[in-house]
Amino acid sequence: MFLDTVLTRNPELVESAAELHTSGAIPPDTYVIDLDAVEANARLLAAEAERLGMTLWFVAKQFGRNPKLIRAIAQHIPRFAAIDLPEARILHASGARAGNLGHLVQIPTRSLPEVLAWRPEAVTVYDAANAEAVGREAERLGTVQDVLVRLQGAPGTVYPGQEGGVPLDRLDDFAERVERLPGVRIAGVTAFPCVLCDPVTGEPEPTANLPLAVAARDRLAARGHEGLKLSAPSASSVTTLALLARHGATHAEPGHALTGTTPLHAVDAHQPERPAYVYVTEVAHTLADGRPAVLGGGFYPRARIKQALLPRSGARLAVQDAPAENIDYYRLLDVPATPDAARIGDTAVLAFRTQIFVTRSNVAVVAGLSRGTPRLCGLYDALGRALDQETPS
């Protein structure tokens, strides 16, 4: 999906990743991430948000909650949006500040004392019961916690496993109940997804959830709430921030833009953010019909993977589709033009959209590519835990 883009915009990353695997410095099933590019992308996003008067909360799940990358991003975007409690803990421990907690997964009630002590800018709540739980703990801490109301998504926009939120036609009932709570303040609204990119053209367009969130904010403003935030996550990038601002969003939650891997980047190699990761594996065996099998572990089901590059021979082979319900022990490539193009142990480099935190992959962070002095500065698992001794920055 992104192989042409990364070869055009960041060929040094491909070369470095291949060398790391060939030399044995990293194992197969490893995402190699360019630290310099991630930090540069964060800087671009922060500058555009400042120009538009918006606030950013960055997301870390897609790059494996990696602490080294978190620290680099936080230099430019200090606050994070954590999708769940384990991610929030890693982000907090890495020195980033809590922006929006609970924006996809509600904070478990027994963990509220821990996270509210961090003084997050906002906590997203899906219903009045969650707001009440936040309010009780905030009151016990002697504070008032700002909450964002998660709106129930418009029909046809909600992903399975992400159901929930306050229906617009019940927002007044919700607000009346929450306004009586001394420990919380309704500070704004959010919905998901608010922007999606066309799968063919990559063109970003608002979903029905964005006007829904605007209508909800207006309804809360009519009840007397002031200074309301509107966070509009999904596909947030330098290009889409202006679109969000035009529709009234005050906050965005960039994730894949930090690694230059939104769907827009797949079709437009000239987006401001540079692609910042590749996936490295190796040829494990060859089937009797000549198809090479590469080791798996990181083939995200929704990635729409197209091709693999075998640097030793220079071959680019199509990656065959595989059922999402199967474990990706291997992934098959098309038969190469010559048998010698794919040998056992050969490095394979791919580039596709992923969510590293749901894979069983490794993450290798490389620094110095922008200066022509690449070095491996850490190897981690898919949840941000170091697998070796980090090299000092």
Side-chain angles (χ1 to χ4, degrees):
M1 184 179 180
F2 291 98
L3 188 56
D4 287 332
T5 302
V6 73
L7 285 169
T8 300
R9 296 287 306 279
N10 200 348
E12 300 85 3
L13 172 59
V14 177
E15 294 169 9
S16 179
E19 171 57 30
L20 286 170
H21 176 258
T22 302
S23 69
I26 62 171
D29 184 23
T30 296
Y31 287 93
V32 180
I33 305 185
D34 180 348
L35 178 67
D36 298 6
V38 170
E39 182 175 349
N41 292 340
R43 185 185 300 113
L44 288 171
L45 285 157
E48 179 66 0
E50 182 177 14
R51 185 184 74 83
L52 295 167
M54 296 182 69
T55 297
L56 300 181
W57 295 320
F58 75 92
V59 179
K61 63 185 173 70
Q62 71 288 341
F63 59 73
R65 305 171 174 174
N66 187 275
K68 191 169 283 290
L69 300 174
I70 289 168
R71 289 192 289 269
I73 294 165
Q75 295 181 57
H76 308 283
I77 306 173
R79 292 187 180 271
F80 62 80
I83 67 148
D84 60 17
L85 178 61
E87 182 166 290
R89 285 173 172 150
I90 293 171
L91 285 153
H92 176 69
S94 299
R97 294 156 58 194
N100 182 16
L101 302 181
H103 86 148
L104 286 183
V105 180
Q106 293 288 271
I107 300 298
T109 55
R110 292 169 184 82
S111 300
L112 285 170
E114 174 188 1
V115 300
L116 294 189
W118 304 343
R119 298 294 191 264
E121 186 175 342
V123 172
T124 292
V125 293
Y126 280 48
D127 58 21
N130 272 281
E132 289 169 349
V134 172
R136 284 193 298 271
E137 182 55 31
E139 189 176 8
R140 191 189 69 80
L141 291 171
T143 187
V144 176
Q145 176 61 57
D146 280 359
V147 296
L148 300 184
V149 184
R150 165 67 177 259
L151 276 301
Q152 180 177 289
T157 67
V158 179
Y159 297 124
Q162 297 185 22
E163 298 88 353
V166 178
L168 182 62
D169 61 2
R170 299 183 187 174
L171 182 61
D172 285 313
D173 293 338
F174 168 90
E176 184 176 353
R177 183 171 166 183
V178 174
E179 286 163 355
R180 295 196 295 265
L181 304 175
V184 295
R185 183 181 78 91
I186 296 175
V189 299
T190 187
F192 183 85
C194 289
V195 173
L196 289 177
C197 296
D198 184 277
V200 176
T201 67
E203 190 68 24
E205 294 290 344
T207 71
N209 290 331
L210 188 50
L212 182 74
V214 172
R217 184 180 61 180
D218 292 346
R219 186 170 294 187
L220 290 172
R223 294 182 63 89
H225 295 279
E226 299 178 346
L228 292 168
K229 299 175 174 66
L230 194 167
S231 184
S234 188
S236 303
S237 68
V238 169
T239 295
T240 63
L241 289 182
L243 180 153
L244 292 173
R246 286 197 303 273
H247 284 79
T250 61
H251 289 64
E253 302 179 11
H256 272 284
L258 294 162
T259 48
T261 50
T262 75
L264 183 56
H265 291 82
V267 297
D268 183 358
H270 304 291
Q271 286 296 300
E273 302 93 342
R274 293 180 72 207
Y277 69 73
V278 293
Y279 180 66
V280 177
T281 187
E282 69 177 53
V283 177
H285 59 277
T286 302
L287 275 62
D289 61 11
R291 287 178 294 169
V294 296
L295 292 165
F299 289 104
Y300 182 62
R302 294 165 54 199
R304 295 193 291 126
I305 304 165
K306 300 299 183 185
Q307 288 189 324
L309 170 67
L310 305 181
R312 181 192 59 79
S313 63
R316 287 181 62 167
L317 303 180
V319 179
Q320 298 188 351
D321 290 335
E325 62 268 21
N326 287 19
I327 299 171
D328 65 328
Y329 294 115
Y330 302 101
R331 198 68 180 265
L332 296 176
L333 310 182
D334 277 0
V335 177
T338 60
D340 188 56
R343 302 175 188 162
I344 184 173
D346 271 356
T347 301
V349 180
L350 304 92
F352 50 85
R353 182 176 170 87
T354 190
Q355 298 282 345
I356 293 175
F357 83 115
V358 297
T359 73
R360 58 185 190 276
S361 302
N362 309 289
V363 175
V365 179
V366 176
L369 277 169
S370 63
R371 300 182 295 277
T373 56
R375 59 183 179 83
L376 179 64
C377 59
L379 188 64
Y380 304 81
D381 70 9
L383 298 178
R385 295 172 294 209
L387 297 177
D388 62 356
Q389 186 65 37
E390 288 188 47
T391 302
S393 299

